[in-house]
Structure formats: C-alpha cells, structure tokens
Amino acid sequence: MEPILVSACLRGVPCRYDGRDKASPELDAALAGRDVVSFCPEAAGGLPTPRRPAELSGGDGHAVLDGTARVVEDTGRDVTAAFVDGAHRALAAARHAGCTRALLMPRSPSCGRGSVYDGSFTGELVAGDGVTAALLERHGVTVRVAPGA
C-alpha cells in the first residue's frame, strides 16, 4: 500500500494547541499495515505545544495561501507565517515519502477539510479548508479528515 500522510495528533502525538492528542483505537485499526507518515504542520512551522488557539480570519486556507486572509491567535497575534511554513513542510514530507493521500484532523486551521472554525473563537464553523489541507490539495494530494476526531 502507498504511504499516507496523517496528522500527528491522530497518531497519538500530543501536539495539539492544548497539548493533547486525538488518537483512537478505531483509527489505529484502520491504518494498520499502512506506511504512515505522521506530521504536525503547526509544530513543524515553529509553534510551541501547548499554544494559544488559532483560527482563520478573512477566509479559509486557500485565501491564506493567496495572501488575502490570515491565521490569528485568540489574542489577535498573527501566526500566518508559521502556518504557511508548516504547510510547505507537510507538502515536502508528503512528496519525500510518495504520499498522494492525507488523513487530517477535522476543523483545524491547518488540517481541516470542508469546514473550519470561523475566526470568532465561538466554536462556529464555516465551509473551507485549513492552510495545510489547501496546499496539499493544490499539489494533487487527496485530503480526507478523520471521522469522529
């Protein structure tokens, strides 16, 4: 089977903004026997764990990549550069390993696919993709999010 890029938090790495992971026995079973490339774009982009919550502001990850939206922490601090850098590092890891598919964390400003938090820090979701998901898709990597995560 071809390798698959997977959000590191889904593989049990405590790298989420809150210092936790999102591992599940069901996901581990689904990935059994696969060559998995675990990757956290936010950590790779230089952000600490734990870290302030961040959301997309002014658009989704595609808009961030186009320079028309930002990623901001709940304090208002702009962390766009770290998210974009991490996305490029994720793409490089996927290419290096030969991944054409990725399984990522839902709703994340990095990894979300289809819906992301709206930038108001109220828990509201809007249609769109995270920065890493958008970059991977632009470069031919099929992105799915982990159900139930």
Side-chain angles (χ1 to χ4, degrees):
M1 291 186 133
E2 78 176 53
I4 184 169
L5 184 76
V6 178
S7 293
C9 62
L10 296 172
R11 299 295 292 159
V13 177
C15 57
R16 287 172 34 96
Y17 76 95
D18 59 6
R20 296 194 230 167
D21 67 60
K22 288 295 263 183
S24 75
E26 297 82 15
L27 183 60
D28 289 343
L31 293 172
R34 300 283 312 255
D35 183 11
V36 174
V37 177
S38 297
F39 200 88
C40 176
E42 293 173 27
L47 296 172
T49 302
R51 57 188 163 272
R52 301 298 311 173
E55 293 187 5
L56 299 164
S57 177
D60 75 347
H62 293 280
V64 170
L65 295 172
D66 293 341
T68 60
R70 307 176 303 135
V71 186
V72 295
E73 293 179 338
D74 60 351
T75 61
R77 179 175 160 237
D78 189 318
V79 289
T80 304
F83 274 73
V84 171
D85 182 49
H88 283 281
R89 290 173 187 266
L91 176 61
R95 285 181 166 165
H96 179 76
C99 301
T100 61
R101 295 178 2 141
L103 182 65
L104 304 179
M105 181 67 198
R107 302 173 300 280
S108 159
S110 290
C111 298
R113 176 84 168 104
S115 65
V116 292
Y117 292 109
D118 72 352
S120 67
F121 296 94
T122 62
E124 295 295 317
L125 294 170
V126 294
D129 300 327
V131 179
T132 297
L135 186 67
L136 292 172
E137 284 280 344
R138 286 182 177 192
H139 289 273
V141 177
T142 302
V143 175
R144 302 280 184 261
V145 292

